[in-house]
Amino acid sequence: MAVELYNRRMIYRPVPDYHMHTPRCNHATGNVADYANAAIAAGLHEIGMSDHSPMPASYDKPWRMDRSELPDYLQEVEQVRDAVSGQLSLRVGLEADFHPGTEAYVAEMIASYAWDYVIGSVHYIGDWGFDNPDTIQIWDTWKIEDAYCAYFKLVEQSALSGLFDIIGHPDLIKKFGHRPPAGSQRVNEAIEAMLQAVKQADVVLEISSAGLRKPVGEIYPHINIVQRAAELGIPFSYGSDAHAPNEVGHGMHECLSMLESFGIQKIASFKQRQRTMVAIQHA
Ligand code: ZN
Ligand code: FE
Ligand code: FE
Ligand code: ZN
């Protein structure tokens, strides 16, 4: 039943897209105005910028803005926000990393500005950037099941950290298509523990179309995770994880269709870190 509905690909009124980047992270193109204009052209009413946040100097430096660039990021987003008001609501967010040992830095940075939301993402297991194509060969040194369990444990901790509003691309570990053995009890238990933590912490899971553009070719998170999250009453937000303006709103209908197939009727909206749930509506 659920899968049948999902495949029907309903058309929806646009919902907020809360995940997009700027060139400050050194791997995205288009300025904030370009993203806003792309959103308006695509008929969206609300988006939020979430560029890769500054982190301590030792952490993943090439893939994020420097702390010194933060004022410029905020100024650009605020300027565009004012310029497009009336046409588009532009929220100001960040994609921060969850990495044990950096929590105090991240907490201090988050406290430094009135963000609309903060996405927490896990991109590293220890010092291994598992989603980085440049270090994909490190996968050969891992048992896939172990990598999955380590990843979901970190996502669980990210939810419980109290730092974040949204858990970004919640099964990014599958990005290159590495799969644990079907029905792995260890992985299933790690996913269940992660979801229980998300529920307990009352944070939002991101449903992300980015995986559709990656080797795995699937929405993040997997349909089974969406189903279990729906059973637990966990709220979702939507994100394209656009790294170019033409990716804004990508895969929105597929994502909403998957949510709706499990009876989810609302999606999260954020302003100044206050969450409201808005109805998903058919066009
Ligand atoms: Zn990125
Ligand atoms: Fe990410
Ligand atoms: Fe991102
Ligand atoms: Zn991302």
Side-chain angles (χ1 to χ4, degrees):
M1 174 61 180
V3 168
E4 197 182 300
L5 252 179
Y6 168 53
N7 286 338
R8 220 186 287 156
R9 300 271 162 99
M10 305 287 298
I11 302 299
Y12 299 91
R13 295 246 171 89
V15 298
D17 180 349
Y18 281 151
H19 198 147
M20 54 199 74
H21 295 273
T22 81
R24 290 173 189 80
C25 68
N26 307 310
H27 62 279
T29 57
N31 58 33
V32 175
D34 297 327
Y35 284 89
N37 288 328
I40 292 166
L44 275 64
H45 307 298
E46 182 171 325
I47 62 170
M49 302 306 298
S50 59
D51 210 358
H52 292 287
S53 73
M55 290 290 286
S58 58
Y59 181 86
D60 194 43
K61 200 169 170 50
W63 297 85
R64 59 196 55 260
M65 71 176 96
D66 190 78
R67 182 74 184 244
S68 64
E69 294 174 274
L70 192 59
D72 180 63
Y73 172 65
L74 294 171
Q75 190 184 27
E76 184 185 358
V77 182
E78 286 171 359
Q79 255 169 22
V80 176
R81 180 185 65 193
D82 294 345
V84 300
S85 69
Q87 287 177 283
L88 180 75
S89 296
L90 179 58
R91 302 291 185 229
V92 190
L94 267 187
E95 180 179 15
D97 279 46
F98 178 75
H99 190 72
T102 65
E103 294 94 330
Y105 179 97
V106 171
E108 187 269 318
M109 193 200 48
I110 292 172
S112 72
Y113 184 76
W115 307 100
D116 288 313
Y117 58 86
V118 180
I119 300 173
S121 295
V122 173
H123 297 108
Y124 275 79
I125 297 172
D127 60 3
W128 173 37
F130 60 83
D131 76 324
N132 185 340
D134 298 338
T135 51
I136 193 169
Q137 76 285 351
I138 293 178
W139 271 100
D140 298 339
T141 70
W142 277 79
K143 197 173 154 193
I144 292 176
E145 216 175 8
D146 291 342
Y148 269 64
C149 289
Y151 170 79
F152 284 116
K153 185 73 193 172
L154 288 164
V155 179
E156 176 189 334
Q157 292 175 304
S158 79
L160 296 175
S161 73
L163 292 168
F164 311 117
D165 305 297
I166 298 171
I167 302 303
H169 39 58
D171 65 348
L172 179 66
I173 191 74
K174 72 183 177 185
K175 174 175 172 176
F176 298 119
H178 301 87
R179 301 282 193 183
S184 162
Q185 198 184 333
R186 285 180 57 215
V187 172
N188 288 342
E189 284 172 6
I191 290 170
E192 178 67 18
M194 178 274 286
L195 290 173
Q196 293 291 347
V198 168
K199 172 79 182 167
Q200 183 192 325
D202 191 27
V203 290
V204 166
L205 277 187
E206 177 185 62
I207 189 163
S208 167
S209 63
L212 295 169
R213 307 189 298 273
K214 298 293 164 20
V216 70
E218 267 182 14
I219 285 168
Y220 302 121
H222 190 273
I223 190 167
N224 293 346
I225 298 178
V226 174
Q227 178 169 28
R228 180 65 182 138
E231 281 173 13
L232 292 170
I234 291 169
F236 279 87
S237 63
Y238 159 75
S240 64
D241 208 346
H243 285 70
N246 66 4
E247 293 172 346
V248 173
H250 170 255
M252 182 186 288
H253 297 291
E254 287 94 328
C255 290
L256 296 178
S257 183
M258 186 184 283
L259 295 182
E260 190 177 48
S261 71
F262 296 113
I264 294 171
Q265 295 171 339
K266 291 183 173 176
I267 196 121
S269 170
F270 285 92
K271 188 169 190 183
Q272 303 221 323
R273 306 198 75 186
Q274 295 298 308
R275 176 172 92 218
T276 51
M277 298 303 295
V278 297
I280 296 169
Q281 293 180 293
H282 294 165

